[in-house]
Amino acid sequence: YESPMCHFVLCEFLAAHGYVVATSPLVGTRYRLVNITVEDVETEVRDMEFVLSEARSLPFADPAALGAVGYDLGGMAGLLLTMRHPEVRAYLSFDSSILDKHYTGLPVTHPGYHEEAFRVPWMHMLQARFIRPEKDRAAAPSLLERKAFGPSYLVHVPTASHGQFSSYAALGIDRAVPGFWGPPSPDSKLVYEGICRMSLAFLDGYLRQDAAALEEMLRAGA
């Protein structure tokens, strides 16, 4: 997202458990502000490709255990990155408009969007209020239902704030993006800690082949 502060808690949490964490800033193709267009989403994907290439060259990184993480617009870019690069072995997304159709048509309208190439384990965490009932998703399938390959998990996060999925929630920062994110809930720190633990269990389960981590994740309700 715009500020490195946005996800530093999750990044440091994963790094503390042995992961090599690399990220890129969210910037537009021609302007600092990112537009929700094919061009700007492609810029995000290419920035992530650069980060992926740099990370793979590090001697202490395992190129056979690469995961991608995306939040908000980064969720669209991360999905496209995962579809484009089979070496990405797991994908984790937060509160991004990729489960159901976004009003812009993205990421589906991006020329690099190919659902048949989305074959890795996927965990999508989303505000519970935005998740349609199963009977509605059966009539109009979401990406979760359409995804034909690899296990998928949909996590209902008990919050009404987009900012709950960021480090701001862990720090108790109120209205980090006024008029858009909304105030964090009173239990925001506990909810965010749960998001971090669930993220670690998912990545451990599929990048480290840790069966105990997968069990823990499923017990937690994924």
Side-chain angles (χ1 to χ4, degrees), residues 118-141:
F118 190 26
R119 296 169 173 258
V120 302
W122 172 42
M123 175 176 281
H124 186 56
M125 298 193 198
L126 186 63
Q127 296 176 50
R129 61 184 176 139
F130 292 141
I131 298 176
R132 293 184 292 131
E134 285 188 25
K135 60 181 179 63
D136 292 349
R137 299 205 310 268

Side-chain angles (χ1 to χ4, degrees), residues 7-20:
H7 287 296
F8 86 93
V9 172
L10 175 63
C11 292
E12 292 290 349
F13 180 71
L14 294 175
H17 287 82
Y19 284 92
V20 177

